[in-house]
Amino acid sequence: MKISKDFEVIAGSIPVLISAPHVYAHRRPSLTLSYKGGEQFTDVIVRDICVTTGAWGIVQSRETSFDPNFHKLEDNPYKQGVTEIVELGEIKRFVDIHGLNLTNEYDLGIYYPSKFFKSISLSKEISKALDKGKLRGISTCIFRLHDDMEETLGEYAASELRVPSVQLEIARYIRESDKLRNAFIQNMSSYLLL
């Protein structure tokens, strides 16, 4: 596997890949080429799930001049890393962890790409698995990713790599609370170990 300063790879033993592409600031592909801030604690969530389950992980390790989630494969070392891990680890499920925008009025957004039907089932299973213990009753919304010109990591994993995938957007209050973040990690880990 190629070494990159842009991301860290966590070697796994089960065929699941967990990703945190927006830990640090990154440049969005837009007319202004503005930077978007990092999503706190997404790296902690990925690392802890990987330690608990033996899943593979990929985590943004520094500020980048590209968006690891949106830029196309040829301009995106992070997406190239995902490709290598999927092949190396014979990955069967891809979970992309993000921070939820503060303007949303729900606690967890689960986005699935429509390009691979098994992603819909994965989104429903994860929704059910997370709604337990300290997270019981959280407001979860499941959405289909827009069919537009952008290609998120989840869409890429589903359409090009044929791996069921979801993008999880977690509310800040869950990510910032040790108790709630640990409950999320525990519930997600229990699901992945089934």
Side-chain angles (χ1 to χ4, degrees):
M1 170 166 247
K2 295 176 193 168
I3 304 295
S4 174
K5 295 178 185 173
D6 297 319
F7 60 85
E8 164 195 352
V9 172
I10 302 162
S13 57
I14 66 171
V16 175
L17 174 57
I18 313 290
S19 166
H22 290 161
V23 178
Y24 296 95
H26 51 281
R27 185 166 282 166
R28 279 277 161 99
S30 65
L31 292 176
T32 62
L33 292 176
S34 59
Y35 275 89
K36 183 178 180 289
E39 299 167 348
Q40 283 186 308
F41 298 105
T42 56
D43 56 337
V44 173
I45 291 168
V46 169
R47 284 188 186 98
D48 287 356
I49 290 171
C50 289
V51 165
T52 304
T53 65
W56 288 79
I58 183 167
V59 177
Q60 182 190 26
S61 57
R62 67 178 184 162
E63 187 175 296
T64 57
S65 60
F66 62 92
D67 185 332
N69 194 42
F70 284 107
H71 276 90
K72 299 290 185 193
L73 182 65
E74 56 274 0
D75 301 320
N76 191 337
Y78 192 97
K79 198 174 276 186
Q80 293 168 16
V82 167
T83 304
E84 289 185 50
I85 295 167
V86 165
E87 293 169 2
L88 181 66
E90 299 178 5
I91 301 300
K92 304 285 187 244
R93 291 181 281 180
F94 176 72
V95 179
D96 199 25
I97 304 289
H98 291 261
L100 185 63
N101 188 315
L102 290 173
T103 61
N104 293 302
E105 295 183 2
Y106 48 89
D107 304 315
L108 179 67
I110 304 176
Y111 292 82
Y112 66 87
S114 58
K115 295 180 175 108
F116 193 35
F117 187 76
K118 291 181 180 179
S119 297
I120 298 169
S121 298
L122 180 60
S123 66
K124 292 175 184 177
E125 291 170 7
I126 289 174
S127 175
K128 185 177 177 181
L130 292 174
D131 189 13
K132 293 179 180 166
K134 288 184 176 61
L135 295 181
R136 184 155 191 81
I138 62 170
S139 174
T140 301
C141 294
I142 299 176
F143 303 102
R144 181 178 59 84
L145 284 166
H146 298 293
D147 288 326
D148 51 22
M149 298 304 290
E150 296 177 347
E151 183 181 66
T152 65
L153 286 163
E155 289 172 310
Y156 172 74
S159 64
E160 299 299 322
L161 305 176
R162 305 305 292 162
V163 174
S165 65
V166 293
Q167 179 174 310
L168 299 183
E169 298 198 0
I170 307 164
R172 179 179 283 177
Y173 83 92
I174 293 173
R175 289 181 286 125
E176 290 179 345
S177 163
D178 289 342
K179 287 181 183 177
L180 296 177
R181 185 176 62 248
N182 288 334
F184 179 91
I185 291 163
Q186 180 181 9
N187 291 356
M188 190 67 188
S189 296
S190 295
Y191 164 72
L192 293 174
L193 288 171
L194 290 178

